[in-house]
Amino acid sequence: MTDTPDVPEETPIQRALRLKKAALDAKPKPPRGGKFQREQAANVQAGKSKPWMTR
């Protein structure tokens, strides 16, 4: 039994990147948009994204 890649001209780096992308796509993702996103944005206090600006 020979282990042939899916694409004959695929380099090991390309294969690793393809497998990595497939693994990332398989992971569950948080919901996008709507009420959830507004709630997450509301929890961030003003100035927290720039802590160096505090007095």
Side-chain angles (χ1 to χ4, degrees):
M1 183 161 38
T2 60
D3 187 20
T4 59
D6 296 339
V7 181
E9 296 85 26
E10 188 177 53
T11 65
I13 292 176
Q14 289 172 327
R15 179 177 179 271
L17 182 61
R18 177 177 53 83
L19 294 174
K20 179 181 176 183
K21 286 182 179 179
L24 288 175
D25 289 342
K27 284 186 178 180
K29 295 176 180 58
R32 297 185 55 167
K35 183 178 177 184
F36 175 81
Q37 196 170 20
R38 286 192 299 273
E39 287 176 356
Q40 293 298 310
N43 288 337
V44 176
Q45 295 177 358
K48 285 294 183 183
S49 60
K50 298 179 183 173
W52 61 90
M53 298 291 283
T54 59
R55 294 185 183 189

